[in-house]
Amino acid sequence: DAMVIQNPRYQVTQFGKPVTLSCSQTLNHNVMYWYQQKSSQAPKLLFHYYDKDFNNEADTPDNFQSRRPNTSFCFLDIRSPGLGDAAMYLCATSRGPPRTGLSTDTQYFGPGTRLTVL
Amino acid sequence: AQKVTQAQTEISVVEKEDVTLDCVYETRDTTYYLFWYKQPPSGELVFLIRRNSFDEQNEISGRYSWNFQKSTSSFNFTITASQVVDSAVYFCALSEGLSGNTPLVFGKGTRLSVIA
């Protein structure tokens, strides 16, 4: 059974047209992450939530936003996609120990959403 | 600063050959965690193993084995008797533990092609 689910698997949008990617999890994990992975590159962390606490990476563009309305769901909003935002977007979750050693837990990844910008 | 180096960009082997994927890491922390993930063509990152810095025991899981050596800061991954289904990109990753909000740092990955 899928534990980290991402919808849609493939998303096509137009330059400048806002798009939202969805992630849900059945693991009841505290922490949810969004990564961007461009072709032939390693995943790059955009941001993560520990419960409702949002943590943005310093070099994540303002064009990328996230929402986590409840434990199970997390959304990635790209306000004005550019051609350079075409990538695979990976969602991951981890259990997250009590507010120390946050990232020592194993992260489990979803299948990803491949975003194409026309 | 933490860093993970996977020097092998691409490896190609014939089925049933053994293959070792190299991973060298850098960290200033004494407590850290190392991971290997597999990314098949479908795109999902599949967790393979997690090892903490205090546990240098090598591990074997079926055809997979891992060799962790702190003296050389390496965490190499060996696939024995490779199969076509092993074809994927393999990522080594590092996380500095017990120091708060640190991200998982990935190497650039090694693309393994197993030819029938």
Side-chain angles (χ1 to χ4, degrees):
Chain A
D1 289 338
M3 296 181 292
V4 183
I5 302 158
Q6 290 189 246
N7 286 306
R9 294 293 309 276
Y10 300 90
Q11 176 74 57
V12 180
T13 190
Q14 291 180 335
F15 183 94
K17 184 175 181 182
V19 65
T20 294
L21 309 182
S22 169
C23 177
S24 63
Q25 53 128 340
T26 60
L27 298 162
N28 204 33
H29 280 173
N30 293 322
V31 193
M32 295 187 78
Y33 308 79
W34 279 104
Y35 289 84
Q36 179 193 63
Q37 185 181 23
K38 295 189 176 179
S39 182
S40 302
Q41 295 185 21
K44 179 181 177 298
L45 182 65
L46 295 173
F47 26 58
H48 74 273
Y49 274 94
Y50 187 105
D51 289 335
K52 293 185 177 181
D53 291 342
F54 178 69
N55 298 273
N56 200 32
E57 293 300 299
D59 56 355
T60 298
D62 292 340
N63 197 26
F64 292 88
Q65 303 285 321
S66 186
R67 297 171 282 134
R68 189 178 185 187
N70 54 53
T71 301
S72 301
F73 284 87
C74 194
F75 300 99
L76 169 62
D77 300 310
I78 309 176
R79 292 192 294 189
S80 181
L83 298 178
D85 296 327
M88 174 76 89
Y89 289 88
L90 295 163
C91 175
T93 74
S94 67
R95 186 184 52 191
R99 300 194 181 259
T100 56
L102 193 70
S103 60
T104 59
D105 252 348
T106 299
Q107 294 182 27
Y108 295 94
F109 286 79
T113 295
R114 188 171 296 282
L115 177 68
T116 300
V117 181
L118 301 177
Chain B
Q2 45 184 332
K3 184 180 176 183
V4 175
T5 302
Q6 294 180 255
Q8 304 148 308
T9 306
E10 293 192 35
I11 299 176
S12 194
V13 299
V14 176
E15 204 171 21
K16 297 184 184 175
E17 284 185 354
D18 299 347
V19 59
T20 295
L21 310 181
D22 298 333
C23 173
V24 174
Y25 62 91
E26 294 177 29
T27 178
R28 292 179 183 164
D29 266 11
T30 55
T31 303
Y32 52 88
Y33 292 77
L34 295 162
F35 302 80
W36 275 97
Y37 285 87
K38 173 183 180 181
Q39 189 173 41
S42 59
E44 180 176 358
L45 274 166
V46 178
F47 166 73
L48 296 178
I49 190 170
R50 169 178 176 242
R51 173 67 76 227
N52 75 56
S53 52
F54 299 111
D55 181 4
E56 281 193 79
Q57 273 194 330
N58 291 327
E59 181 155 340
I60 298 174
S61 176
R63 295 185 297 107
Y64 295 170
S65 61
W66 290 270
N67 183 3
F68 177 28
Q69 293 198 345
K70 287 179 76 170
S71 60
T72 55
S73 296
S74 65
F75 187 45
N76 296 338
F77 173 31
T78 297
I79 302 174
T80 304
S82 60
Q83 300 176 1
V84 172
V85 293
D86 296 327
S87 298
V89 180
Y90 291 85
F91 289 97
C92 181
L94 165 72
S95 168
E96 290 173 340
L98 299 179
S99 57
N101 198 9
T102 57
L104 195 63
V105 174
F106 287 87
K108 293 187 176 181
T110 297
R111 181 178 298 278
L112 174 65
S113 298
V114 181
I115 304 163

mmCIF file with all atom_site columns, all heavy atoms in Angstrom, chain B residues 90-108:
data_model
loop_
_atom_site.group_PDB
_atom_site.id
_atom_site.type_symbol
_atom_site.label_atom_id
_atom_site.label_alt_id
_atom_site.label_comp_id
_atom_site.label_asym_id
_atom_site.label_entity_id
_atom_site.label_seq_id
_atom_site.pdbx_PDB_ins_code
_atom_site.Cartn_x
_atom_site.Cartn_y
_atom_site.Cartn_z
_atom_site.occupancy
_atom_site.B_iso_or_equiv
_atom_site.pdbx_formal_charge
_atom_site.auth_seq_id
_atom_site.auth_comp_id
_atom_site.auth_asym_id
_atom_site.auth_atom_id
_atom_site.pdbx_PDB_model_num
ATOM 1   N N   . TYR B 1 90  ? 21.570 5.478  -7.997 1.00 0.00 ? 90  TYR B N   1
ATOM 2   C CA  . TYR B 1 90  ? 21.730 5.242  -6.569 1.00 0.00 ? 90  TYR B CA  1
ATOM 3   C C   . TYR B 1 90  ? 22.338 6.490  -5.925 1.00 0.00 ? 90  TYR B C   1
ATOM 4   O O   . TYR B 1 90  ? 23.361 6.996  -6.377 1.00 0.00 ? 90  TYR B O   1
ATOM 5   C CB  . TYR B 1 90  ? 22.617 4.027  -6.317 1.00 0.00 ? 90  TYR B CB  1
ATOM 6   C CG  . TYR B 1 90  ? 21.944 2.730  -6.718 1.00 0.00 ? 90  TYR B CG  1
ATOM 7   C CD1 . TYR B 1 90  ? 21.989 2.270  -8.031 1.00 0.00 ? 90  TYR B CD1 1
ATOM 8   C CD2 . TYR B 1 90  ? 21.231 1.987  -5.785 1.00 0.00 ? 90  TYR B CD2 1
ATOM 9   C CE1 . TYR B 1 90  ? 21.358 1.093  -8.403 1.00 0.00 ? 90  TYR B CE1 1
ATOM 10  C CE2 . TYR B 1 90  ? 20.605 0.804  -6.144 1.00 0.00 ? 90  TYR B CE2 1
ATOM 11  C CZ  . TYR B 1 90  ? 20.670 0.369  -7.458 1.00 0.00 ? 90  TYR B CZ  1
ATOM 12  O OH  . TYR B 1 90  ? 20.029 -0.799 -7.826 1.00 0.00 ? 90  TYR B OH  1
ATOM 13  N N   . PHE B 1 91  ? 21.677 6.943  -4.852 1.00 0.00 ? 91  PHE B N   1
ATOM 14  C CA  . PHE B 1 91  ? 22.137 8.133  -4.146 1.00 0.00 ? 91  PHE B CA  1
ATOM 15  C C   . PHE B 1 91  ? 22.605 7.743  -2.746 1.00 0.00 ? 91  PHE B C   1
ATOM 16  O O   . PHE B 1 91  ? 21.921 7.025  -2.017 1.00 0.00 ? 91  PHE B O   1
ATOM 17  C CB  . PHE B 1 91  ? 21.006 9.157  -4.009 1.00 0.00 ? 91  PHE B CB  1
ATOM 18  C CG  . PHE B 1 91  ? 20.633 9.822  -5.295 1.00 0.00 ? 91  PHE B CG  1
ATOM 19  C CD1 . PHE B 1 91  ? 19.568 9.362  -6.043 1.00 0.00 ? 91  PHE B CD1 1
ATOM 20  C CD2 . PHE B 1 91  ? 21.344 10.918 -5.757 1.00 0.00 ? 91  PHE B CD2 1
ATOM 21  C CE1 . PHE B 1 91  ? 19.202 9.977  -7.229 1.00 0.00 ? 91  PHE B CE1 1
ATOM 22  C CE2 . PHE B 1 91  ? 21.000 11.541 -6.946 1.00 0.00 ? 91  PHE B CE2 1
ATOM 23  C CZ  . PHE B 1 91  ? 19.929 11.062 -7.681 1.00 0.00 ? 91  PHE B CZ  1
ATOM 24  N N   . CYS B 1 92  ? 23.750 8.285  -2.392 1.00 0.00 ? 92  CYS B N   1
ATOM 25  C CA  . CYS B 1 92  ? 24.237 8.239  -1.026 1.00 0.00 ? 92  CYS B CA  1
ATOM 26  C C   . CYS B 1 92  ? 23.896 9.580  -0.383 1.00 0.00 ? 92  CYS B C   1
ATOM 27  O O   . CYS B 1 92  ? 23.938 10.626 -1.052 1.00 0.00 ? 92  CYS B O   1
ATOM 28  C CB  . CYS B 1 92  ? 25.751 8.011  -1.048 1.00 0.00 ? 92  CYS B CB  1
ATOM 29  S SG  . CYS B 1 92  ? 26.552 7.899  0.561  1.00 0.00 ? 92  CYS B SG  1
ATOM 30  N N   . ALA B 1 93  ? 23.529 9.575  0.882  1.00 0.00 ? 93  ALA B N   1
ATOM 31  C CA  . ALA B 1 93  ? 23.130 10.819 1.541  1.00 0.00 ? 93  ALA B CA  1
ATOM 32  C C   . ALA B 1 93  ? 23.629 10.844 2.984  1.00 0.00 ? 93  ALA B C   1
ATOM 33  O O   . ALA B 1 93  ? 23.851 9.799  3.605  1.00 0.00 ? 93  ALA B O   1
ATOM 34  C CB  . ALA B 1 93  ? 21.613 10.989 1.497  1.00 0.00 ? 93  ALA B CB  1
ATOM 35  N N   . LEU B 1 94  ? 23.772 12.048 3.499  1.00 0.00 ? 94  LEU B N   1
ATOM 36  C CA  . LEU B 1 94  ? 24.315 12.263 4.839  1.00 0.00 ? 94  LEU B CA  1
ATOM 37  C C   . LEU B 1 94  ? 23.404 13.213 5.609  1.00 0.00 ? 94  LEU B C   1
ATOM 38  O O   . LEU B 1 94  ? 22.915 14.202 5.046  1.00 0.00 ? 94  LEU B O   1
ATOM 39  C CB  . LEU B 1 94  ? 25.717 12.882 4.730  1.00 0.00 ? 94  LEU B CB  1
ATOM 40  C CG  . LEU B 1 94  ? 26.350 13.512 5.973  1.00 0.00 ? 94  LEU B CG  1
ATOM 41  C CD1 . LEU B 1 94  ? 26.767 12.435 6.961  1.00 0.00 ? 94  LEU B CD1 1
ATOM 42  C CD2 . LEU B 1 94  ? 27.552 14.352 5.591  1.00 0.00 ? 94  LEU B CD2 1
ATOM 43  N N   . SER B 1 95  ? 23.216 12.915 6.868  1.00 0.00 ? 95  SER B N   1
ATOM 44  C CA  . SER B 1 95  ? 22.480 13.814 7.741  1.00 0.00 ? 95  SER B CA  1
ATOM 45  C C   . SER B 1 95  ? 23.241 13.939 9.047  1.00 0.00 ? 95  SER B C   1
ATOM 46  O O   . SER B 1 95  ? 23.573 12.926 9.654  1.00 0.00 ? 95  SER B O   1
ATOM 47  C CB  . SER B 1 95  ? 21.087 13.247 7.993  1.00 0.00 ? 95  SER B CB  1
ATOM 48  O OG  . SER B 1 95  ? 20.459 13.942 9.025  1.00 0.00 ? 95  SER B OG  1
ATOM 49  N N   . GLU B 1 96  ? 23.523 15.164 9.460  1.00 0.00 ? 96  GLU B N   1
ATOM 50  C CA  . GLU B 1 96  ? 24.213 15.370 10.726 1.00 0.00 ? 96  GLU B CA  1
ATOM 51  C C   . GLU B 1 96  ? 23.176 15.304 11.836 1.00 0.00 ? 96  GLU B C   1
ATOM 52  O O   . GLU B 1 96  ? 22.195 16.054 11.819 1.00 0.00 ? 96  GLU B O   1
ATOM 53  C CB  . GLU B 1 96  ? 24.951 16.707 10.723 1.00 0.00 ? 96  GLU B CB  1
ATOM 54  C CG  . GLU B 1 96  ? 26.146 16.710 9.783  1.00 0.00 ? 96  GLU B CG  1
ATOM 55  C CD  . GLU B 1 96  ? 26.784 18.076 9.628  1.00 0.00 ? 96  GLU B CD  1
ATOM 56  O OE1 . GLU B 1 96  ? 26.120 19.089 9.931  1.00 0.00 ? 96  GLU B OE1 1
ATOM 57  O OE2 . GLU B 1 96  ? 27.942 18.135 9.197  1.00 0.00 ? 96  GLU B OE2 1
ATOM 58  N N   . GLY B 1 97  ? 23.373 14.418 12.776 1.00 0.00 ? 97  GLY B N   1
ATOM 59  C CA  . GLY B 1 97  ? 22.344 14.159 13.761 1.00 0.00 ? 97  GLY B CA  1
ATOM 60  C C   . GLY B 1 97  ? 22.511 14.935 15.042 1.00 0.00 ? 97  GLY B C   1
ATOM 61  O O   . GLY B 1 97  ? 23.576 15.430 15.355 1.00 0.00 ? 97  GLY B O   1
ATOM 62  N N   . LEU B 1 98  ? 21.421 15.056 15.744 1.00 0.00 ? 98  LEU B N   1
ATOM 63  C CA  . LEU B 1 98  ? 21.352 15.641 17.082 1.00 0.00 ? 98  LEU B CA  1
ATOM 64  C C   . LEU B 1 98  ? 21.851 17.079 17.123 1.00 0.00 ? 98  LEU B C   1
ATOM 65  O O   . LEU B 1 98  ? 22.259 17.568 18.162 1.00 0.00 ? 98  LEU B O   1
ATOM 66  C CB  . LEU B 1 98  ? 22.128 14.784 18.092 1.00 0.00 ? 98  LEU B CB  1
ATOM 67  C CG  . LEU B 1 98  ? 21.603 13.355 18.253 1.00 0.00 ? 98  LEU B CG  1
ATOM 68  C CD1 . LEU B 1 98  ? 22.442 12.592 19.248 1.00 0.00 ? 98  LEU B CD1 1
ATOM 69  C CD2 . LEU B 1 98  ? 20.156 13.368 18.694 1.00 0.00 ? 98  LEU B CD2 1
ATOM 70  N N   . SER B 1 99  ? 21.846 17.725 16.003 1.00 0.00 ? 99  SER B N   1
ATOM 71  C CA  . SER B 1 99  ? 22.286 19.116 15.992 1.00 0.00 ? 99  SER B CA  1
ATOM 72  C C   . SER B 1 99  ? 21.173 20.020 15.480 1.00 0.00 ? 99  SER B C   1
ATOM 73  O O   . SER B 1 99  ? 21.404 21.156 15.126 1.00 0.00 ? 99  SER B O   1
ATOM 74  C CB  . SER B 1 99  ? 23.523 19.282 15.120 1.00 0.00 ? 99  SER B CB  1
ATOM 75  O OG  . SER B 1 99  ? 23.277 18.831 13.814 1.00 0.00 ? 99  SER B OG  1
ATOM 76  N N   . GLY B 1 100 ? 19.966 19.516 15.449 1.00 0.00 ? 100 GLY B N   1
ATOM 77  C CA  . GLY B 1 100 ? 18.843 20.361 15.078 1.00 0.00 ? 100 GLY B CA  1
ATOM 78  C C   . GLY B 1 100 ? 18.466 20.271 13.620 1.00 0.00 ? 100 GLY B C   1
ATOM 79  O O   . GLY B 1 100 ? 18.450 19.198 13.034 1.00 0.00 ? 100 GLY B O   1
ATOM 80  N N   . ASN B 1 101 ? 18.220 21.367 13.035 1.00 0.00 ? 101 ASN B N   1
ATOM 81  C CA  . ASN B 1 101 ? 17.524 21.448 11.769 1.00 0.00 ? 101 ASN B CA  1
ATOM 82  C C   . ASN B 1 101 ? 18.473 21.305 10.587 1.00 0.00 ? 101 ASN B C   1
ATOM 83  O O   . ASN B 1 101 ? 18.754 22.265 9.886  1.00 0.00 ? 101 ASN B O   1
ATOM 84  C CB  . ASN B 1 101 ? 16.818 22.794 11.723 1.00 0.00 ? 101 ASN B CB  1
ATOM 85  C CG  . ASN B 1 101 ? 15.724 22.830 10.690 1.00 0.00 ? 101 ASN B CG  1
ATOM 86  O OD1 . ASN B 1 101 ? 15.394 21.803 10.128 1.00 0.00 ? 101 ASN B OD1 1
ATOM 87  N ND2 . ASN B 1 101 ? 15.197 23.998 10.457 1.00 0.00 ? 101 ASN B ND2 1
ATOM 88  N N   . THR B 1 102 ? 18.990 20.138 10.355 1.00 0.00 ? 102 THR B N   1
ATOM 89  C CA  . THR B 1 102 ? 19.923 19.963 9.244  1.00 0.00 ? 102 THR B CA  1
ATOM 90  C C   . THR B 1 102 ? 19.285 19.110 8.156  1.00 0.00 ? 102 THR B C   1
ATOM 91  O O   . THR B 1 102 ? 18.635 18.115 8.441  1.00 0.00 ? 102 THR B O   1
ATOM 92  C CB  . THR B 1 102 ? 21.217 19.282 9.719  1.00 0.00 ? 102 THR B CB  1
ATOM 93  O OG1 . THR B 1 102 ? 20.887 18.036 10.336 1.00 0.00 ? 102 THR B OG1 1
ATOM 94  C CG2 . THR B 1 102 ? 21.951 20.159 10.696 1.00 0.00 ? 102 THR B CG2 1
ATOM 95  N N   . PRO B 1 103 ? 19.464 19.502 6.916  1.00 0.00 ? 103 PRO B N   1
ATOM 96  C CA  . PRO B 1 103 ? 18.831 18.768 5.819  1.00 0.00 ? 103 PRO B CA  1
ATOM 97  C C   . PRO B 1 103 ? 19.622 17.517 5.446  1.00 0.00 ? 103 PRO B C   1
ATOM 98  O O   . PRO B 1 103 ? 20.777 17.357 5.823  1.00 0.00 ? 103 PRO B O   1
ATOM 99  C CB  . PRO B 1 103 ? 18.852 19.773 4.678  1.00 0.00 ? 103 PRO B CB  1
ATOM 100 C CG  . PRO B 1 103 ? 20.053 20.617 4.945  1.00 0.00 ? 103 PRO B CG  1
ATOM 101 C CD  . PRO B 1 103 ? 20.175 20.699 6.444  1.00 0.00 ? 103 PRO B CD  1
ATOM 102 N N   . LEU B 1 104 ? 18.959 16.659 4.713  1.00 0.00 ? 104 LEU B N   1
ATOM 103 C CA  . LEU B 1 104 ? 19.596 15.480 4.139  1.00 0.00 ? 104 LEU B CA  1
ATOM 104 C C   . LEU B 1 104 ? 20.392 15.949 2.922  1.00 0.00 ? 104 LEU B C   1
ATOM 105 O O   . LEU B 1 104 ? 19.841 16.557 2.017  1.00 0.00 ? 104 LEU B O   1
ATOM 106 C CB  . LEU B 1 104 ? 18.509 14.486 3.732  1.00 0.00 ? 104 LEU B CB  1
ATOM 107 C CG  . LEU B 1 104 ? 18.870 13.055 3.429  1.00 0.00 ? 104 LEU B CG  1
ATOM 108 C CD1 . LEU B 1 104 ? 19.434 12.377 4.649  1.00 0.00 ? 104 LEU B CD1 1
ATOM 109 C CD2 . LEU B 1 104 ? 17.637 12.322 2.932  1.00 0.00 ? 104 LEU B CD2 1
ATOM 110 N N   . VAL B 1 105 ? 21.687 15.682 2.917  1.00 0.00 ? 105 VAL B N   1
ATOM 111 C CA  . VAL B 1 105 ? 22.531 16.108 1.805  1.00 0.00 ? 105 VAL B CA  1
ATOM 112 C C   . VAL B 1 105 ? 22.839 14.908 0.925  1.00 0.00 ? 105 VAL B C   1
ATOM 113 O O   . VAL B 1 105 ? 23.383 13.910 1.401  1.00 0.00 ? 105 VAL B O   1
ATOM 114 C CB  . VAL B 1 105 ? 23.840 16.732 2.330  1.00 0.00 ? 105 VAL B CB  1
ATOM 115 C CG1 . VAL B 1 105 ? 24.786 17.040 1.173  1.00 0.00 ? 105 VAL B CG1 1
ATOM 116 C CG2 . VAL B 1 105 ? 23.531 17.996 3.109  1.00 0.00 ? 105 VAL B CG2 1
ATOM 117 N N   . PHE B 1 106 ? 22.514 15.021 -0.334 1.00 0.00 ? 106 PHE B N   1
ATOM 118 C CA  . PHE B 1 106 ? 22.695 13.918 -1.276 1.00 0.00 ? 106 PHE B CA  1
ATOM 119 C C   . PHE B 1 106 ? 23.982 14.084 -2.069 1.00 0.00 ? 106 PHE B C   1
ATOM 120 O O   . PHE B 1 106 ? 24.409 15.195 -2.381 1.00 0.00 ? 106 PHE B O   1
ATOM 121 C CB  . PHE B 1 106 ? 21.539 13.877 -2.276 1.00 0.00 ? 106 PHE B CB  1
ATOM 122 C CG  . PHE B 1 106 ? 20.231 13.396 -1.705 1.00 0.00 ? 106 PHE B CG  1
ATOM 123 C CD1 . PHE B 1 106 ? 19.363 14.280 -1.105 1.00 0.00 ? 106 PHE B CD1 1
ATOM 124 C CD2 . PHE B 1 106 ? 19.880 12.059 -1.785 1.00 0.00 ? 106 PHE B CD2 1
ATOM 125 C CE1 . PHE B 1 106 ? 18.150 13.839 -0.592 1.00 0.00 ? 106 PHE B CE1 1
ATOM 126 C CE2 . PHE B 1 106 ? 18.673 11.603 -1.284 1.00 0.00 ? 106 PHE B CE2 1
ATOM 127 C CZ  . PHE B 1 106 ? 17.802 12.501 -0.686 1.00 0.00 ? 106 PHE B CZ  1
ATOM 128 N N   . GLY B 1 107 ? 24.576 12.956 -2.451 1.00 0.00 ? 107 GLY B N   1
ATOM 129 C CA  . GLY B 1 107 ? 25.577 12.966 -3.491 1.00 0.00 ? 107 GLY B CA  1
ATOM 130 C C   . GLY B 1 107 ? 24.883 13.142 -4.833 1.00 0.00 ? 107 GLY B C   1
ATOM 131 O O   . GLY B 1 107 ? 23.655 13.182 -4.919 1.00 0.00 ? 107 GLY B O   1
ATOM 132 N N   . LYS B 1 108 ? 25.660 13.225 -5.887 1.00 0.00 ? 108 LYS B N   1
ATOM 133 C CA  . LYS B 1 108 ? 25.094 13.476 -7.211 1.00 0.00 ? 108 LYS B CA  1
ATOM 134 C C   . LYS B 1 108 ? 24.534 12.216 -7.858 1.00 0.00 ? 108 LYS B C   1
ATOM 135 O O   . LYS B 1 108 ? 23.917 12.287 -8.926 1.00 0.00 ? 108 LYS B O   1
ATOM 136 C CB  . LYS B 1 108 ? 26.125 14.124 -8.122 1.00 0.00 ? 108 LYS B CB  1
ATOM 137 C CG  . LYS B 1 108 ? 26.492 15.527 -7.677 1.00 0.00 ? 108 LYS B CG  1
ATOM 138 C CD  . LYS B 1 108 ? 27.381 16.235 -8.677 1.00 0.00 ? 108 LYS B CD  1
ATOM 139 C CE  . LYS B 1 108 ? 27.628 17.669 -8.219 1.00 0.00 ? 108 LYS B CE  1
ATOM 140 N NZ  . LYS B 1 108 ? 28.480 18.425 -9.164 1.00 0.00 ? 108 LYS B NZ  1
#
